[in-house]
Amino acid sequence: MSGRRDNGNNDGCSGGLALILLGIILLPLTGIHFMISGQSKGYKILGIVLFVVGLVIWGVIGFIGS
């Protein structure tokens, strides 16, 4: 009986939740990066969209949190 025991502390959800929160935090920053260093017009437009969507998500989270 030298196998691993499942003690119930890891349900697999915490890792996914951490990645989602990290994505939400980095969305506007990625948008700024695409706007500044985008080689084509498509990347600059994508950067603007990511930046705006990220700011809206930040605002909603801030409004709900207060």
Side-chain angles (χ1 to χ4, degrees), residues 18-61:
L19 289 175
I20 289 172
L21 289 174
L22 185 64
I24 290 171
I25 290 170
L26 293 178
L27 196 62
L29 301 176
T30 305
I32 291 173
H33 174 72
F34 279 179
M35 284 189 292
I36 293 172
S37 67
Q39 287 82 17
S40 68
K41 188 176 181 180
Y43 275 109
K44 292 184 184 213
I45 292 172
L46 178 63
I48 292 170
V49 170
L50 289 175
F51 182 71
V52 170
V53 169
L55 285 182
V56 168
I57 291 174
W58 279 10
V60 168
I61 290 173

